[in-house]
DNA sequence: AATCGTATTATGGTATACCATCATACGTCA
DNA sequence: TGACGTATGATGGTATACCATAATACGATT
């Protein structure tokens, strides 16, 4: 029996905590709170219109995501991302994504491949519209389908967590000249290899993709460091 | 100037939260709270002698470590570990540890190598004493030195988090017959390769080590599933 | 003028009270 | 007897009040 999806209750009632978490996370990712900004519990609570209890839990959560770091006797600040850490995060992504790409090629899940096709096509469109936010969202969809079809739930969690920490770099990388061509091409190669069931090719293609992104990101970081 | 380490203040004052976190984590890892146990905030707080505020933060933290999962409208329970997830975690460890082993071989940090030697010797001793808790602790020291000498701080964090989730399996694996021989041998090979600066050999040796552990763990899980 | 000590304040740590909601148990009515 | 509705209780969500402490600022003393 097919359940009419009009009836399906899609989302649990969101708690204040979840809303606040999203808001603060977005604020950090959108650089409204630049790295080093102190996140004072009372101030944040006032700005958000919630109590300190909620704010505390949000801050702790973001800490576990690596977006916030707590300095003893000084409180939490928005995490700074040093170039070494950024490089390591990209390296880890390469490791995890290529492993997942290989697994996805072996799994050859039709539904997942359809999702990835769709996502890739949306990515191309988003690039021509210069809608970078949508590029990020659809890229996430692409990879989510890839990881889950390869049964890499834990790895996917880790990648998402890592991506949070480098999200600023990701946006900058996506917006960098030439990436609108190179990015989709590389994703296409990953997808082709997965569709063909060629694990090794998928692994290599995804390694190349991360490597290219990493190179751009590190160049950007160096530029900033020089200033 | 060398600062006399008598003066060094080694630890910041521990908050109730940190103490409670350790206690609850240990209780889970030592299986005093078997998987599926409900962690009611009030009850836990009463048992620990702390307020719900503290307990809540502890539970959230453990959730981010994967040791606790929250069921909607039912509250948090001690996470269950299904065989697929366990297998994936071991696979990820293989990926991360081999990468770190390669980096450590290239770095060839003398201090780190000394630490690893010491840790390995302690592991051997702990095995003959059948002090499995110490085996775990010294193995952690071994790997910590390896990861950090390879400048893999982020990866090390991830491995520690993963290890938390499989810690029960780890203890069982360590205590399984034959492991007291095989385990230290494999670590020795990793260490030898690192000392010799042979990255590829180090990578292979550490892959083998995780693979062996994984095989034992999965066998144990299957045995339990049959019962 | 410099340094030391003290007062003030900002801030995180903790406890607690209240509220909303979901699950369960019990009773009533057909 | 079964099903439905209502009451009750357990539990998580949230706000708030109070406390301890560390950073800061200011003043006194040499």
């Amino acid at each position: 029996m097919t359940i009419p999806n009009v009836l399906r209750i899609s989302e649990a009632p969101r708690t204040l905590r979840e809303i606040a978490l999203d808001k603060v996370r977005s604020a950090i990712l959108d650089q409204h709170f630049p790295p080093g900004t102190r996140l004072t519990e009372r101030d944040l609570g006032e700005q958000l219109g919630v109590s300190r209890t909620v704010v505390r839990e949000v801050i702790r959560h973001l800490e576990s995501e690596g977006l916030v770091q707590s300095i003893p006797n000084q409180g939490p600040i928005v995490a700074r991302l040093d170039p070494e850490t950024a490089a390591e995060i990209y390296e880890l992504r390469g490791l995890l994504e290529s492993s997942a790409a290989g697994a996805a090629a072996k799994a050859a899940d039709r539904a997942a491949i359809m999702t990835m096709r769709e996502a890739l096509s949306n990515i191309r469109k988003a690039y021509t519209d210069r809608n970078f936010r949508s590029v990020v969202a659809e890229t996430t969809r692409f990879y989510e389908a890839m990881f889950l079809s390869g049964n890499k739930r834990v790895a996917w969690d880790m990648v998402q967590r890592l991506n949070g920490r480098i999200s600023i770099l990701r946006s900058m990388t996506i917006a960098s000249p030439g990436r609108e061509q190179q990015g989709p091409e590389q994703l296409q190669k990953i997808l082709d290899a997965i569709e063909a069931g060629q694990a090794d090719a998928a692994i290599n293609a995804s390694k190349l993709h991360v490597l290219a992104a990493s190179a751009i990101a590190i160049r950007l970081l160096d530029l900033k460091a020089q200033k």
Side-chain angles (χ1 to χ4, degrees), chain A:
Chain A
M1 170 189 170
T2 312
I3 298 165
N5 47 12
V6 222
L7 293 182
R8 169 120 265 149
I9 292 170
S10 53
E11 44 189 305
R14 303 188 79 208
T15 60
L16 272 186
R17 208 186 103 248
E18 290 173 297
I19 298 169
L21 177 62
D22 284 351
K23 293 231 182 217
V24 178
R25 192 194 282 114
S26 302
I28 293 175
L29 298 187
D30 295 346
Q31 309 220 49
H32 289 127
F33 295 153
T37 307
R38 292 187 59 180
L39 297 174
T40 324
E41 294 178 1
R42 278 168 239 265
D43 289 356
L44 249 187
E46 209 166 329
Q47 284 187 263
L48 291 163
V50 298
S51 75
R52 276 183 61 210
T53 315
V54 171
V55 174
R56 279 179 67 82
E57 296 192 355
V58 166
I59 288 176
R60 296 252 177 273
H61 192 118
L62 293 172
E63 210 178 329
S64 81
E65 288 184 10
L67 248 54
V68 164
Q69 50 191 171
S70 276
I71 314 284
N73 301 328
Q74 186 179 347
I77 62 169
V78 176
R80 300 172 197 279
L81 183 65
D82 59 287
E84 291 76 30
T85 304
E88 194 193 342
I89 289 176
Y90 273 104
E91 194 192 327
L92 287 172
R93 262 190 49 189
L95 227 48
L96 298 171
E97 289 181 12
S98 58
S99 151
K106 279 173 192 149
D109 182 78
R110 287 187 52 79
I113 288 173
M114 283 307 293
T115 306
M116 292 169 77
R117 274 192 198 151
E118 206 176 284
L120 181 49
S121 135
N122 290 344
I123 291 170
R124 289 212 166 90
K125 185 169 183 319
Y127 263 121
T128 59
D129 298 348
R130 299 191 67 76
N131 181 350
F132 297 129
R133 192 171 284 267
S134 168
V135 173
V136 173
E138 294 296 326
T139 305
T140 303
R141 255 187 88 212
F142 182 94
Y143 276 114
E144 182 175 33
M146 187 180 89
F147 273 85
L148 296 190
S149 80
N151 257 306
K152 307 284 183 194
R153 268 165 236 285
V154 181
W156 175 236
D157 285 347
M158 290 174 54
V159 167
Q160 281 187 293
R161 206 177 282 232
L162 291 175
N163 272 338
R165 297 175 65 174
I166 55 169
S167 72
I168 294 141
L169 284 174
R170 282 182 81 203
S171 334
M172 282 165 40
T173 302
I174 283 168
S176 76
R179 190 64 180 161
E180 77 281 355
Q181 192 69 30
Q182 186 196 36
E185 260 173 29
Q186 291 179 323
L187 290 181
Q188 184 70 59
K189 279 189 184 145
I190 298 173
L191 181 51
D192 288 345
I194 290 174
E195 291 197 41
Q198 296 170 338
D200 286 345
I203 290 172
N204 285 328
S206 68
K207 273 187 184 160
L208 281 179
H209 182 238
V210 176
L211 221 55
S214 171
I216 297 174
I218 285 168
R219 185 147 23 92
L220 288 169
L221 271 181
D222 284 345
L223 278 177
K224 209 171 82 176
Q226 278 173 20
K227 276 192 304 193

